[in-house]
């Protein structure tokens, strides 16, 4: 489903001017050198994955969180 031939090299792809297309995610007009989610959707997707990674990290550290309040309380005394 392409309008023209795909660039065969990375240099060709980078040299290609931005093309207008409809964002496959939000459906709004986008402009980029390659077809895909628009810049806004990319930012949203990035923050989504970063948020997911952070969420997992927090869950992994939860056992340690139970220890920290006691240590802080002892320091305050
Ligand atoms: Zn979009």
């Amino acid at each position: 489903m392409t309008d023209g031939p795909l660039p065969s090299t990375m240099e060709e792809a980078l040299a290609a001017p931005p093309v207008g297309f409809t964002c496959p995610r939000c459906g709004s007009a986008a402009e980029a050198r390659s077809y895909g989610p628009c810049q806004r959707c990319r930012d949203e997707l990035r923050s989504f994955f970063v948020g997911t990674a952070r969420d997992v990290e927090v869950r992994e550290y939860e056992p340690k969180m139970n220890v920290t309040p006691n240590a802080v309380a002892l320091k305050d005394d």
Side-chain angles (χ1 to χ4, degrees), residues 21-30 36-42 44-45:
F21 56 88
T22 305
C23 173
R25 188 168 178 264
C26 67
S28 57
C38 67
Q39 190 58 54
R40 212 179 102 195
C41 284
R42 283 185 206 185
E44 278 180 24
L45 287 167

Side-chain angles (χ1 to χ4, degrees), residues 8-27:
S8 52
T9 63
M10 196 63 183
E11 287 76 19
E12 220 175 299
L14 290 171
V19 289
F21 56 88
T22 305
C23 173
R25 188 168 178 264
C26 67

Side-chain angles (χ1 to χ4, degrees), residues 41-59:
C41 284
R42 283 185 206 185
D43 290 342
E44 278 180 24
L45 287 167
R46 193 181 299 133
S47 55
F48 171 77
F49 284 120
V50 168
T52 305
R54 196 180 294 149
D55 195 36
V56 171
E57 205 175 318
V58 167
R59 280 179 197 169

